Amino acid sequence: MSLIVNGTAVPAPADARVSLLDHLRETLHLTGTKKGCNQGACGACTVLVEGERILSCLALAVQYDGRQVTTVEGLAQDGALHPLQAAFVEHDGFQCGYCTPGQICSAIGMAAEAQRGVPSYLSDDLSADTTLTRAEIQERMSGNLCRCGAYNGIIDAIQATIAPKVPA
Amino acid sequence: MSIVDTAKQAAQGLLQSAMEKLVPLAPDSWIPGGVPDPLIARKHGLIGKPVSRLDGALKVSGGAHFSAEHRFDGMVYASLAYSTIARGRIVAIDSAEAQAAPGVVLVMTHHNAPRMAAPALFGSSPTAVGASDLPILQDDRIHWNGQPVACILAETQEQADHAVSLLRVTYAPEPATTTLEGAKANGIEPGVFMGGPLENTIGDAEGAFASAAHKVDHTYRTPRHNHNPIEPHAATLAWIGDELVIHDASQMVSQQAQTIGEVFGLKPEQVHLTSPYVGGGFGSKGLWDHQIIAAAAARLSGRPVRIALSREGVYRIVGGRTLTEQRVAIGACADGTFQALIHTGLTVITPHNAMPEPFILGTQSAYAAPNLLLKVEATRMDLLTNTFMRAPGEAVGTFALESAIDEMAVELGIDPVELRIRNEPEKDPTSGLPFSSRHIVEAWRQGAARFGWDQRSPVPGARQEGEWRTGMGCATGTYPYYRMPGAEARITLTRDGDTVRAKVEVAAAEMGMGTATTTAIVAAERLGLPIEAIEVGYGDSAIPGAIMAGGSQQTAAIGAAVIAAHTALVDELLALAGNDSPLAGLSADEVGSDEGGLAKLDEPGRRESYASILARAQRDSVTATKAGSAPLELMHWSMHSYSAVFCEVRVNAVTGETRVSRVLGAFDCGRILNPKTATSQFRGGIIMGLGMALMEETMVDDRSGRIMNPSLAEYHLPVHLDVPEIDVIWTDIADPHTPMGAHGIGEIGITGVAAAVANAVYNATGKRVRDLPITLDRLI
Ligand code: FES
Ligand code: FES
């Protein structure tokens, strides 16, 4: 059994109790993915599985046999930060930086959801195209807590980069 | 305590009281800050320009290693068992099954834990930072519901957590005080904070209040709060030879190393604590039971240990802000001038700590009133020890005071902004000291204009669209300027050919405030070097001195230490320069740093570069270490950060739901050093204030003393959709008496916010909510 993490095949754990989050952090030493609550309440552990955002603390590593997992460590291309990562620095979308990897992965997954036309609580017409307005982004990012309160900067960073591309 | 100690203390006490009498009277020039810091006048350079965080790229790419992300070879994982009773004793711990569980390396209880001293209680010495002075795993006594009773080490976290579930602990409960009424019946005592009584009496406040033409007199209540940094508390540690190496999450790096060392009977140099990245703290990232338990378990097992608390674990053993019941009574004339201001009330502490929430601190210097009565009393409950949380005192104190001011504005029919300005004091109303820099009226005027305060109707409920009623409210925020003694800076210049780089080391902590970046900005200006040539070292107990990221004082403490170390460095450089230098014969106070070298202050052409001085002296480097001056300025001036907070809310007439639609903070906090990170500090504080206003509450079960909502699902924090774009402006008027002209900005943001929200809710609905949080049920 193996998972593909940031493009590299890695073994799945022998102990079936190991969450994807703990597997990333403790076995693979990919500590960019953070643990804030271990119970699905904070979003700090968000990673992308084939482009979809999931909470890795609520996922067992063995469930992801053969699947492509992307963590914050896998977003940079050729040594250059992903545009959203760079925008987080530019717009000061963090203070302590602990929620940040989760916010960034979540935002990328969120933009893809919007692109696919997945509606939100704010959508008036469930079948219409989604435009990522400020309020739409806020609603769709509300599963990612930031106790430092960097919310304004996070939305600014998303609006400055990936949001304008939705709808494509 | 020996006779010598007693005599020493008495002498220190005498000196202290003599200083308190003399320092206010001394000429300004004798006081630190009496002569303005030359950096205040400097208008070019990076100070005041928006600079992105220097550690930003590392943090957004997952490369910054937090405490639970270090590892040692052979490391094992810790899991804790927590008491399920509030008070009593442990009768038996059956650990046979746990011992036998796969992967278990150690089961540690009070039976086999090494003998350790109790941690020294915060404030009992300059380096003591124990949250309580209870012994840890030393006996069978239980003091609170949630106290650690056992620690299990195992090869994996899963194995350790499972083994904890196999422990069988039997208790003999004893009566515990777990209700506020019960605590009050046991007795009420005067509140003592940092060694001084929390009480100010000026004139006859009750008498003046009784005879005042206009009065308001109400009780306001604030619940318990938890800090909830998104990084749970954790430590990864090992005994290496005789040394204890701890990768911790700490806002008080050196003090924490010292206090832990004392617990284990170690010399200070035997504890090496590092904490370069802290995932939020807000007052909570200090010394709690877990680091000590993990160090003890590591010693007993001979294995390095990672202890990463679960979120529930954080709630069980890391205390938060305690509750308050506050009376504010104001007596005023018809023109709005206050005749009496009374702010008194009760807070809850525990039998094992000494931290009454000092909610009168902000009131001490807020308004001119000839008669003042301010007093905090305390009562004790058998709970987890409470502690400092962002703006301890002011965050909840300003809720009561600034709500009452709004009630008085309604009573008098005077605009609440105007009422505040009418009661602006000329000097500090309780200490009588002159203000070092107070421009709160400018903040009010600028804020009101930008927010559109003139659009507000004084009549509650005047604006309704559909189900939604809109209202505006405002409040004053305030937080003292502190500078704690003990900070040191070490500056090292290193030459490589013609280039010189500087390393500036301070035992500071970075929890996201932007300290590392701001320190580099200031050091670059101070040394006359480009920021790229500056490296800042911090978060390491091996660095000399002790600095706390608390009381919003870190930037000032670092600033003053860097000033002192820079002066020492200039001395060294002049000595090295010798007689062949253009600087020959000059003394340190005649020269300054500029453009990569030293220059005579009034003759800038007379100069020599650092590289040239070092080259001639055949040196590759030069180092100077120095402590900042004693913070006498705090006894000479009344020094504070201020804010005027404006808020607009929409309240649903059917459901009672409150949405915050606009917030503006107008700050008067001296010179702003880095607008980019400062904006985030202000907004972060304001957002925590919105949480306090509308949703945050740590709930304790009255029967068992157990926290009922120990999770981020049940303790509600503001999320993205709860937070509008927050407008932040500042006066940017430098305080001539502080390093760089700056004031602390970490805690001012939260102050005043809850009152601004409550006052806006009143303006929207006509309902005055005096108990936080303002949940739906309080509005329908
Ligand atoms: S750690 Fe997974 S949601 Fe909090
Ligand atoms: S940046 Fe600290 S929790 Fe978001």
Side-chain angles (χ1 to χ4, degrees):
Chain A
M1 271 193 18
S2 68
L3 300 75
I4 299 139
V5 178
N6 299 331
T8 306
V10 296
D15 186 341
R17 294 173 298 183
V18 177
S19 70
L20 178 58
L21 175 60
D22 285 336
H23 192 53
L24 291 169
R25 285 170 65 82
E26 301 299 339
T27 312
L28 305 176
H29 305 173
L30 288 172
T31 54
T33 306
K34 303 303 181 193
K35 184 188 279 188
C37 68
N38 214 21
Q39 57 182 182
C42 76
C45 63
T46 307
V47 297
L48 297 164
V49 176
E50 284 135 28
E52 273 189 56
R53 53 179 175 171
I54 66 155
L55 298 175
S56 63
C57 72
L58 295 186
L60 295 172
V62 290
Q63 288 176 280
Y64 288 85
D65 184 25
R67 308 282 301 274
Q68 303 262 1
V69 180
T70 305
T71 70
V72 73
E73 290 97 339
L75 295 177
Q77 295 276 323
D78 305 323
L81 293 179
H82 183 285
L84 184 61
Q85 290 176 309
F88 263 65
V89 177
E90 172 59 26
H91 294 275
D92 216 33
F94 58 95
Q95 290 203 276
C96 75
Y98 197 81
C99 73
T100 313
Q103 301 275 0
I104 291 173
C105 289
S106 182
I108 292 170
M110 180 273 308
E113 279 162 28
Q115 194 127 40
R116 289 199 304 275
V118 178
S120 83
Y121 159 78
L122 292 179
S123 310
D124 289 327
D125 177 351
L126 296 187
S127 56
D129 271 356
T130 300
T131 308
L132 283 182
T133 59
R134 193 169 186 96
E136 271 287 353
I137 301 172
Q138 285 178 295
E139 160 60 19
R140 289 165 186 263
M141 289 295 294
S142 279
N144 288 83
L145 303 183
C146 176
R147 185 54 155 172
C148 296
Y151 292 128
N152 285 183
I154 294 168
I155 303 296
D156 291 344
I158 295 171
Q159 284 200 307
T161 51
I162 56 178
K165 304 202 174 75
V166 178
Chain B
M1 186 180 287
S2 73
I3 267 187
V4 181
D5 285 342
T6 318
K8 232 196 237 167
Q9 267 201 350
Q12 275 168 358
L14 276 179
L15 185 65
Q16 176 76 10
S17 62
M19 298 273 272
E20 273 164 19
K21 290 197 183 72
L22 293 175
V23 172
L25 306 173
D28 286 0
S29 60
W30 292 10
I31 305 296
V35 178
D37 179 355
L39 284 195
I40 294 173
R42 201 186 291 212
K43 293 290 178 250
H44 60 276
L46 283 177
I47 293 183
K49 308 264 166 27
V51 177
S52 292
R53 288 164 201 275
L54 301 179
D55 55 5
L58 204 59
K59 284 183 174 173
V60 297
S61 53
H65 293 295
F66 292 82
S67 57
E69 297 166 3
H70 294 267
R71 27 190 352 104
F72 290 104
D73 286 342
M75 183 180 84
V76 288
Y77 293 80
S79 187
L80 298 178
Y82 305 100
S83 156
T84 54
I85 64 163
R87 196 166 161 273
R89 58 183 197 87
I90 301 166
V91 176
I93 300 181
D94 176 358
S95 61
E97 234 187 310
Q99 290 282 7
V104 169
V105 169
L106 175 73
V107 178
M108 188 175 80
T109 67
H110 65 279
H111 291 299
N112 60 340
R115 295 303 96 187
M116 300 176 273
L121 189 60
F122 196 103
S124 60
S125 85
T127 53
V129 291
S132 86
D133 55 4
L134 289 174
I136 297 167
L137 290 187
Q138 298 297 294
D139 57 34
D140 61 358
R141 300 296 313 166
I142 298 296
H143 303 271
W144 82 87
N145 197 325
Q147 176 183 323
V149 293
C151 170
I152 293 187
L153 299 184
E155 300 293 342
T156 71
Q157 189 70 58
E158 290 79 10
Q159 290 170 333
D161 291 345
H162 175 65
V164 161
S165 74
L166 302 174
L167 287 172
R168 304 279 171 267
V169 186
T170 319
Y171 301 97
E174 292 168 16
T177 304
T178 52
T179 65
L180 185 56
E181 284 59 44
K184 286 180 184 171
N186 292 346
I188 289 172
E189 60 194 272
V192 176
F193 181 64
M194 305 306 273
L198 285 167
E199 182 168 358
N200 301 83
T201 310
I202 289 175
D204 171 16
E206 292 287 5
F209 176 72
S211 57
H214 297 271
K215 300 178 205 186
V216 294
D217 186 354
H218 295 288
T219 299
Y220 304 84
R221 291 184 181 83
T222 63
R224 300 172 190 282
H225 298 129
N226 269 63
H227 312 78
N228 286 307
I230 300 298
E231 177 203 29
H233 295 59
T236 305
L237 52 81
W239 293 88
I240 299 175
D242 281 346
E243 196 189 7
L244 175 59
V245 178
I246 310 178
H247 298 294
D248 204 347
S250 172
Q251 337 184 184
M252 42 196 94
V253 177
S254 307
Q255 300 90 329
Q256 205 157 299
Q258 174 100 16
T259 307
I260 293 173
E262 285 161 11
V263 167
F264 289 95
L266 303 173
K267 298 195 199 76
E269 61 274 17
Q270 284 176 278
V271 183
H272 186 189
L273 189 146
T274 70
S275 176
Y277 303 105
V278 181
F282 317 112
S284 75
K285 290 275 168 70
L287 179 60
W288 300 92
D289 289 12
H290 64 285
Q291 295 106 324
I292 291 169
I293 291 174
R299 180 173 255 190
L300 204 55
S301 66
R303 301 278 296 270
V305 169
R306 166 164 304 152
I307 186 158
L309 295 183
S310 65
R311 180 56 61 180
E312 179 184 351
V314 176
Y315 274 89
R316 297 282 171 243
I317 72 167
V318 176
R321 193 198 304 280
T322 189
L323 61 81
T324 71
E325 282 187 349
Q326 308 173 49
R327 174 192 178 209
V328 180
I330 306 173
C333 305
D335 68 358
T337 49
F338 297 165
Q339 295 307 302
L341 175 54
I342 298 169
H343 190 175
T344 56
L346 186 71
T347 181
V348 174
I349 55 177
T350 69
H352 35 266
N353 78 330
M355 169 53 200
E357 186 75 17
F359 52 76
I360 60 171
L361 292 184
T363 316
Q364 287 173 340
S365 57
Y367 296 105
N371 301 285
L372 282 163
L373 173 61
L374 316 177
K375 184 157 75 172
V376 177
E377 292 180 305
T379 187
R380 296 186 191 247
M381 288 171 71
D382 293 311
L383 298 175
L384 165 61
T385 178
N386 63 293
T387 192
F388 307 91
M389 178 166 158
R390 204 171 201 170
E394 285 83 359
V396 291
T398 53
F399 166 66
L401 176 67
E402 295 295 312
S403 293
I405 303 275
D406 201 68
E407 301 206 44
M408 180 51 97
V410 172
E411 156 79 21
L412 292 165
I414 298 178
D415 178 82
V417 173
E418 196 51 41
L419 180 62
R420 289 178 170 91
I421 292 173
R422 275 187 208 175
N423 286 286
E424 179 64 6
E426 275 169 20
K427 59 180 171 59
D428 189 290
T430 49
S431 70
L433 294 174
F435 292 112
S436 65
S437 177
R438 179 172 169 125
H439 306 280
I440 192 168
V441 175
E442 277 100 312
W444 273 115
R445 300 267 187 245
Q446 288 170 15
R450 186 166 165 114
F451 191 73
W453 183 251
D454 57 355
Q455 301 297 305
R456 169 184 178 269
S457 166
V459 183
R463 264 179 78 188
Q464 180 156 359
E465 289 120 36
E467 288 177 8
W468 294 92
R469 294 175 173 151
T470 304
M472 292 189 207
C474 66
T476 299
T478 169
Y479 193 79
Y481 169 89
Y482 289 121
R483 184 164 75 80
M484 299 174 195
E488 293 182 29
R490 179 162 66 198
I491 307 179
T492 306
L493 295 185
T494 315
R495 180 179 68 93
D496 181 5
D498 284 343
T499 27
V500 168
R501 303 183 53 80
K503 181 160 191 186
V504 177
E505 294 170 285
V506 285
E510 165 70 287
M511 305 181 279
M513 308 87 84
T515 305
T517 307
T518 307
T519 301
I521 293 172
V522 173
E525 292 302 310
R526 187 82 66 200
L527 292 164
L529 289 170
I531 192 167
E532 297 76 29
I534 307 286
E535 182 192 344
V536 178
Y538 61 96
D540 189 327
S541 66
I543 298 172
I547 302 179
M548 186 173 302
S552 295
Q553 66 95 40
Q554 187 165 254
T555 299
I558 295 172
V562 170
I563 289 175
H566 175 247
T567 307
L569 183 77
V570 172
D571 270 334
E572 290 273 328
L573 286 166
L574 287 175
L576 290 177
N579 292 332
D580 297 333
S581 166
L583 302 169
L586 297 180
S587 65
D589 49 6
E590 291 173 287
V591 301
S593 282
D594 202 0
E595 293 177 33
L598 299 181
K600 186 160 190 274
L601 287 173
D602 54 4
E603 192 189 338
R606 199 170 152 192
R607 56 180 306 113
E608 184 169 18
S609 70
Y610 299 134
S612 159
I613 296 173
L614 290 172
R616 181 163 356 82
Q618 299 185 341
R619 292 276 293 262
D620 292 332
S621 71
V622 56
T623 299
T625 307
K626 189 96 188 187
S629 54
L632 300 180
E633 70 272 27
L634 302 175
M635 297 183 198
H636 191 75
W637 290 287
S638 174
M639 307 176 86
H640 302 264
S641 288
Y642 306 99
S643 68
V645 189
F646 297 85
C647 176
E648 180 188 87
V649 300
R650 301 188 312 128
V651 182
N652 190 292
V654 179
T655 65
E657 180 184 9
T658 300
R659 308 294 307 170
V660 175
S661 44
R662 290 197 298 138
V663 184
L664 179 143
F667 293 88
D668 175 44
C669 302
R671 189 167 184 203
I672 297 301
L673 302 174
N674 183 355
K676 189 175 276 195
T677 50
T679 300
S680 294
Q681 278 284 64
F682 290 138
R683 283 178 170 163
I686 288 171
I687 292 167
M688 208 175 272
L690 297 180
M692 183 178 140
L694 296 174
M695 60 193 88
E696 291 190 36
E697 177 171 10
T698 309
M699 296 175 191
V700 173
D701 186 333
D702 261 2
R703 299 159 302 178
S704 63
R706 193 165 179 85
I707 291 175
M708 297 189 287
N709 56 341
S711 85
L712 295 179
E714 294 153 295
Y715 183 111
H716 291 174
L717 306 179
V719 303
H720 273 286
L721 198 58
D722 295 323
V723 177
E725 272 182 272
I726 295 172
D727 200 1
V728 168
I729 59 175
W730 47 76
T731 60
D732 211 20
I733 302 170
D735 183 335
H737 307 305
T738 65
M740 295 84 69
H743 280 189
I745 59 169
E747 293 168 272
I748 179 76
I750 190 175
T751 70
V753 175
V757 174
N759 296 341
V761 166
Y762 174 80
N763 184 246
T765 64
K767 287 201 177 118
R768 181 66 67 180
V769 181
R770 301 190 183 93
D771 294 354
L772 293 182
I774 307 170
T775 43
L776 284 61
D777 52 304
R778 296 197 158 122
L779 290 171
I780 47 177

